[in-house]
Amino acid sequence: MRLARTEPTDQEPDIRARPPLVREFLLVAGLFLAYKFGRQAANGHVEEAFRNAGSVWDLERALHLPGEGAVQELLLHSQPLIHAANTYYAAVHFPATALFLIWLYWRRPAHYVRSRRVLAALTGAALVLHLLFPLAPPRMLPAAGLVDTGQVYGPTVYGQTPATDTMANQFAAMPSLHVGWAVMVALGLIAATRSRWRRLWLLHPAITLFVVVGTANHYWLDAIVVVALLAVALAAFRLPLSARTVPARLRGPGAWGSGEGAPVPAYAGGGSGTYEGGVRPAISEAPVASGTYAGGAR
């Protein structure tokens, strides 16, 4: 018998692992509202946010990270590309994550529970950082010399006056939940599916990173910090063994090292075991006492 596989199956989901729908809806909605109100509570720290932005900018240069402007220059060559990037930033973040959770809930309940826990922990940690470390995005930092592509080319989800924006906290750049949620969506779908093309889901966080930096909404460090937080959350909430493995299938007998089954011992009738000189030794019809073999050797 081979060891259990680590690939998920496409069999029908185990409904016993699926939490009650109403409870999950209320829980996720409550977490979302708590996050939105928490971000609003962190709004208004304008001077501190700009001081922190200068520190982050200087740290990135000290670490020799590429300038965010190099990515934005690629977008500025094409107005339709800029518009597409702004649309991706505004319209994909929440719907993609919601659809990810809905699909997992119905098709991979065990994976859903873990993913919901990881996303909740990641979002909570991000909110704490938003409260403790308000940060103006690079589009607001004069030293960066970047264009606010959302305001100039549209569409945008932010108001023109960040300090009085009642819809969103524009000083919550650190860390980037756009990147963190996108990475979790990709990793969750890779873990929960077995398609040979499933690693293409990594394009979602790759495009998201390109978009948030190119539109000057986030620094490189915003993405680096959120990936580190996500790694901690993933380690804290491990997937249950029953959801990671599939019962092994019996294989036919095979030769040593073939991986197709266990080797056949000389005393077993039949099989394809190989013997010295290519000759199968004769087997006595009389039983051998006490489990010993010819010559007394086991």
Side-chain angles (χ1 to χ4, degrees), residues 92 118 240 286:
V92 175
V118 170

Side-chain angles (χ1 to χ4, degrees), residues 250-284:
L250 291 175
R251 298 280 183 165
W256 281 95
S258 66
E260 293 302 316
V264 180
Y267 54 83
S272 56
T274 305
Y275 304 91
E276 184 179 358
V279 180
R280 181 188 301 275
I283 302 177
S284 172

Side-chain angles (χ1 to χ4, degrees), residues 71 75 84-85 88-89 92 178-179 182 200-215:
V71 179
L75 293 178
Y88 197 94
Y89 180 85
V92 175
H178 272 75
V179 174
L200 290 177
W201 286 112
L202 292 172
L203 289 174
H204 175 44
I207 294 173
T208 299
L209 177 61
F210 177 80
V211 164
V212 300
V213 173
T215 57

Side-chain angles (χ1 to χ4, degrees), residues 23-112:
R23 189 193 74 182
E24 287 303 304
F25 176 79
L26 293 176
L27 178 60
V28 173
L31 290 172
F32 174 75
L33 291 175
Y35 172 70
K36 293 294 289 184
F37 284 118
R39 281 173 61 97
Q40 289 299 318
N43 209 345
H45 302 279
V46 179
E47 294 184 2
E48 185 180 0
F50 277 97
R51 285 197 304 270
N52 291 336
S55 299
V56 168
W57 183 261
D58 292 340
L59 178 59
E60 286 192 342
R61 306 293 75 80
L63 295 174
H64 302 289
L65 293 176
E68 287 79 0
V71 179
Q72 187 171 88
E73 286 180 4
L74 299 176
L75 293 178
L76 294 177
H77 287 298
S78 171
Q79 186 167 333
L81 186 59
I82 297 176
H83 186 81
N86 290 333
T87 302
Y88 197 94
Y89 180 85
V92 175
H93 177 49
F94 281 107
T97 308
L99 289 174
F100 163 69
L101 289 174
I102 292 171
W103 184 84
L104 285 183
Y105 179 86
W106 287 109
R107 299 300 303 169
R108 300 290 186 271
H111 287 265
Y112 162 79

